[in-house]
Amino acid sequence: GKSTPFLVSLHNKYILAQIKTGLMIIDQHVAHERILYEKALKSFSANIPFAQQLLFSQTFEVDPGEYGLLKELEPHLNSLGFEIKFFSKNTIVIDGVPSDVKIGTEIFTLRGILDEYKKNQREKGLEVLDNIAKSYSCKTAIKAGDKLSETEMRQLVDQLFATSMPYVCPHGRPIVIKIPLGEFDKRFGRT
């Protein structure tokens, strides 16, 4: 798309961009969630996982219930780029992760996805793939407070507007707010 004249980060949380009609404000966390959610859904059907091999495999323990759940979800997690091995009754080894998972956060992220998945199952009864995609995007998206370079902000905005629903995050929250110039004029008493 056409390049935005300027992008400014507000408290490492919101991205401000000038548009024809005024000002556009983007929530960086939910914007990234939308991008990752659609990427996840595509990867389930594309079936060409791309895993980053870890230099050192990460080992962690889970309870029997989680072990069973992970075994069940493993083919789908594999589509996303997770490479997981199952040992004994409760030991999980991570050999590879999707490129969107920050190195050093592998166990934390997979645990987070598992917790989020269980919560969604309990509270929302989501369909399996939708649930994994939502849990994954929620736990791997950049957070409010993460500092982005101007290039990263630009990529985020471009990727956001390439999604099917750039204005609503997978959980139904708004991603973009537009404030018309007229609103500023009113506030400044320029009637």
Side-chain angles (χ1 to χ4, degrees), residues 12-188:
N12 293 327
K13 202 172 178 184
Y14 299 107
I15 298 168
L16 311 187
Q18 178 183 321
I19 50 174
K20 248 208 271 325
T21 53
L23 180 70
M24 175 169 76
I25 305 171
I26 296 168
D27 180 322
Q28 68 181 33
H29 170 72
V30 292
H32 200 208
E33 253 188 294
R34 163 56 63 189
I35 294 161
L36 291 173
Y37 173 70
E38 296 201 0
K39 197 167 152 187
L41 290 179
K42 277 199 192 82
S43 71
F44 295 143
S45 49
N47 219 345
I48 30 171
F50 177 72
Q52 289 190 102
Q53 295 303 314
L54 297 181
L55 201 52
F56 303 104
S57 295
Q58 302 289 318
T59 305
F60 67 109
E61 313 274 298
V62 289
D63 64 44
E66 292 175 321
Y67 188 89
L69 182 59
L70 267 174
K71 266 207 125 102
E72 222 172 284
L73 301 182
E74 196 271 333
H76 308 309
L77 290 169
N78 190 254
S79 302
L80 292 176
F82 284 98
E83 282 182 16
I84 306 167
K85 288 202 187 88
F86 296 86
F87 288 103
S88 72
K89 271 287 148 266
N90 62 349
T91 305
I92 306 289
V93 175
I94 308 174
D95 287 326
V97 291
S99 54
D100 292 297
V101 175
K102 279 199 198 72
I103 297 301
T105 66
E106 300 86 1
I107 294 174
F108 179 76
T109 303
L110 191 57
R111 275 200 179 287
I113 292 170
L114 212 53
D115 290 342
E116 186 75 8
Y117 184 91
K118 290 191 291 191
K119 197 182 95 187
N120 286 341
Q121 216 178 20
R122 259 198 325 275
E123 297 171 10
K124 307 195 175 95
L126 299 178
E127 184 270 320
V128 174
L129 292 183
D130 191 43
N131 191 346
I132 295 177
K134 282 189 171 131
S135 304
Y136 171 74
S137 61
C138 174
K139 293 302 165 190
T140 50
I142 49 176
K143 312 253 180 303
D146 287 352
K147 198 168 171 29
L148 301 179
S149 68
E150 190 180 345
T151 311
E152 289 170 323
M153 289 195 278
R154 251 178 226 295
Q155 279 178 334
L156 193 73
V157 174
D158 289 345
Q159 289 174 3
L160 173 65
F161 286 102
T163 64
S164 68
M165 291 179 73
Y167 295 99
V168 198
C169 93
H171 303 284
R173 299 220 314 271
I175 297 174
V176 179
I177 293 172
K178 291 180 177 175
I179 302 175
L181 212 47
E183 182 61 35
F184 290 101
D185 292 340
K186 260 212 299 280
R187 298 288 289 267
F188 284 106

